[in-house]
Amino acid sequence: MSDGLRASVENSWRELGDIDRALDRGEITEHGWYAAVLAVVEPAYLGADNPQAQSGHSGNPARWRQARRLLVDALPGNCDVLDVGCANAHLMESLVDWAAEDGLVVEPYGVEISIPLADLARRRQPRWSHRIWTANVLDWQPPRQFDVVRTGLDYVPPPRRADLVAHLLEHVVATGGRLVVGVFNEESGRDILEREVRSWGYQIAGRASRAHRHPALSYKAFWIDAARR
Ligand SMILES: C[S@@+](CC[C@H](N)C(=O)[O-])C[C@H]1O[C@@H](n2cnc3c(N)ncnc32)[C@H](O)[C@@H]1O
C-alpha cells in the first residue's frame, strides 16, 4: 500500500494505531486503551466547528453524505436504529433525513462512551435526549433492543472485536434484527474486515459501498442478520 493510500485509510486514526500497539505490548491496560482513545477523540470532536467534524469526519456536507448515506441501503424498512458511538448525534439526524428521501421512517437512538460528547448530542437534539445513553457499548445492557444497530469495530481494542459483535447480536439487536458494521474505508477490491468477521463464524447478509475520493478506496458497510430467537 502506498503512503498516500495508507494515509487516506488511516487518516486521524493513525494515532490510534499507536494506542493499539501499546496495549499489545502490555504498556497500557484495556481501561487505559479507552482513556487514551478518548484523549484523542474528545478534544478533536468537541473543538470542531461543524457537525461533521464533531462526528469525526473531516469533509464538508457533500462528502459526509457520500461517506455515510450508503447506510440507508442497510435498512430493512421503517425501523428503529441505534447508532453506537453517536458522537454529537449528526449521523442520527442524517439517517432520519436520508431514509425519508427513500420513503422510510427511522427512529434514531444513540449510545456514546464519552460523557461530554453524549451531553453535546443531547444539547443538539433535546427531543432525543432520553434516547441517548452514556456507556461503553461492550458491556452495556440496554433498556430495550433495536431493529438495526450500527457500529464500528474499532470502538473496542482489537482483541475484543469478536466479543463486541457477539455482545451486540446477543443483547442489543432485536430478534430478527440487523447488525451493521461501518462505514469504514478500505481498498476497493479487498474485503479484509468482512473476511475477518466471517472467520468468527458469521454470515454476511449484505453489503454496500460507495466511491471514496481516493480512487483505490471505497466507503463500505456490511451487515449480519440476527437469528430469530
Ligand atoms: C467516528 S465517531 C462516529 C460518529 C458517527 N456515529 C458516525 O458513524 O459517523 C466514533 C464515536 O464512537 C465513540 N465510541 C468509541 N468507542 C466507544 C465505545 N466502546 N462505546 C460507545 N461509544 C464509543 C467515540 O467516542 C466517538 O464519538
Side-chain angles (χ1 to χ4, degrees):
M1 199 190 291
S2 73
D3 286 352
L5 182 53
R6 181 170 290 116
S8 294
V9 175
E10 295 178 356
N11 204 357
S12 59
W13 292 84
R14 190 153 48 83
E15 239 176 304
L16 302 185
D18 295 339
I19 301 170
D20 291 349
R21 281 186 287 279
L23 179 69
D24 199 35
R25 289 195 293 257
E27 293 162 7
I28 56 172
T29 61
E30 261 194 33
H31 182 76
W33 185 92
Y34 289 107
V37 170
L38 283 180
V40 174
V41 164
E42 284 183 344
Y45 291 22
L46 293 167
D49 63 359
N50 67 79
Q52 303 85 248
Q54 286 175 346
S55 270
H57 181 79
S58 58
N60 60 20
R63 263 183 51 208
W64 168 257
R65 182 182 172 93
Q66 176 70 7
R68 294 288 181 278
R69 195 189 188 284
L70 72 159
L71 289 167
V72 176
D73 293 7
L75 305 180
N78 298 341
C79 56
D80 45 58
V81 177
L82 175 75
D83 186 24
V84 173
C86 67
N88 68 340
H90 190 43
L91 185 61
M92 292 167 63
E93 300 159 353
S94 300
L95 280 178
V96 170
D97 294 345
W98 295 332
E101 292 171 358
D102 290 5
L104 299 177
V105 178
V106 159
E107 290 293 340
Y109 296 78
V111 60
E112 170 56 54
I113 194 171
S114 160
I115 294 169
L117 276 170
D119 285 344
L120 173 63
R122 293 185 197 102
R123 276 200 310 280
R124 291 184 68 250
Q125 288 296 347
R127 64 188 159 145
W128 295 333
S129 60
H130 60 291
R131 298 175 173 203
I132 297 171
W133 294 274
T134 307
N136 180 346
V137 72
L138 187 56
D139 50 28
W140 186 48
Q141 293 298 332
R144 48 159 293 168
Q145 295 179 317
F146 306 89
D147 300 327
V148 174
V149 175
R150 185 222 66 86
T151 193
L153 296 186
D154 49 358
Y155 301 165
V156 296
R160 303 301 304 277
R161 289 182 182 158
D163 295 340
L164 174 63
V165 170
H167 173 71
L168 291 173
L169 285 168
E170 176 73 16
H171 297 288
V172 188
V173 178
T175 299
R178 181 167 284 175
L179 176 63
V180 181
V181 176
V183 176
F184 56 93
N185 306 339
E186 196 177 59
E187 281 181 80
S188 301
R190 307 185 63 204
D191 289 326
I192 300 167
L193 194 59
E194 188 180 313
R195 259 210 319 275
E196 185 177 359
V197 172
R198 268 196 265 122
S199 78
W200 302 334
Y202 298 105
Q203 266 190 2
I204 306 304
R207 59 188 64 75
S209 66
R210 295 290 185 278
H212 189 278
R213 70 190 184 288
H214 192 298
L217 295 179
S218 298
Y219 295 112
K220 299 183 187 179
F222 59 84
W223 48 95
I224 301 165
D225 284 344
R228 295 192 180 276
R229 293 183 279 258

